[in-house]
């Protein structure tokens, strides 16, 4: 499958890896929208959040987001965790991932 995040998870494409375990890889976003902008990517391919019903995996994704925020030193100052879904949700890469943004006051309102 021609999926950039599958390739990154398989180390067939380059990325800056922040954290990794058996189910996720956390990388720095190539086009950061804040001083810290990371992506928690599932190693298994799910096209969108709608395609994943694995409660354990989805819960672990949030735990991974917390760990990444701690590692980046933005846990105490604050951060935002976002999953964009489908076109109007702003999803551009069709492989489930969560954004973690921080490192400055995030002033944008939801939507
Ligand atoms: P989405 O718009 O799907 O929620 O988020 C996709 C994110 O992936 C964007 O913030 C974009 O900058 C990032 N991105 C797209 N391609 C690559 C890539 O090849 N490497 C990295 N590190 N980030 C990518
Ligand atoms: Zn994929």
């Amino acid at each position: 499958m021609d999926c950039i995040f599958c390739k990154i998870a398989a180390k067939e494409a380059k990325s800056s890896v922040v954290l990794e375990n058996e189910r996720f890889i956390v990388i720095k976003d190539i086009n950061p929208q804040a001083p810290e902008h990371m992506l928690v990517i599932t190693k298994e391919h799910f096209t969108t959040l709608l395609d994943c019903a694995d409660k354990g995996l989805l819960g672990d994704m949030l735990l991974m987001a917390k760990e990444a925020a701690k590692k980046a030193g933005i846990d105490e100052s604050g951060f935002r965790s976002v999953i964009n879904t489908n076109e109007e949700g702003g999803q551009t890469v069709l492989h489930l991932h969560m954004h973690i943004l921080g490192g400055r006051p995030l002033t944008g309102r939801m939507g």
Side-chain angles (χ1 to χ4, degrees):
M1 189 190 300
D2 194 25
C3 170
I4 183 62
F5 285 178
C6 280
K7 285 183 181 157
I8 284 173
K11 310 276 170 63
E12 289 162 11
K14 265 195 168 181
S15 70
S16 178
V17 179
V18 178
L19 276 177
E20 186 173 5
N21 66 16
E22 58 288 346
R23 301 186 98 182
F24 304 97
I25 187 166
V26 183
I27 64 167
K28 289 187 178 285
D29 196 292
I30 205 167
N31 182 25
Q33 303 300 306
E36 292 294 342
H37 186 173
M38 300 171 282
L39 302 170
V40 183
I41 297 171
T42 55
K43 288 196 171 173
E44 185 178 344
H45 180 91
F46 299 97
T47 303
T48 78
L49 177 61
L50 299 170
D51 301 298
C52 181
D54 185 335
K55 291 177 191 169
L57 183 83
L58 293 172
D60 285 349
M61 201 174 193
L62 277 169
L63 297 178
M64 201 67 175
K66 286 203 296 189
E67 236 182 89
K70 276 184 197 157
K71 180 138 192 210
I74 56 170
D75 52 325
E76 292 300 326
S77 51
F79 61 97
R80 191 170 288 169
S81 316
V82 175
I83 299 176
N84 296 324
T85 301
N86 280 338
E87 196 175 342
E88 291 195 359
Q91 186 175 4
T92 59
V93 176
L94 290 173
H95 176 129
L96 178 59
H97 58 281
M98 180 182 285
H99 296 257
I100 304 158
L101 298 126
R104 68 166 166 79
L106 298 171
T107 53
R109 291 168 62 84
M110 293 292 170

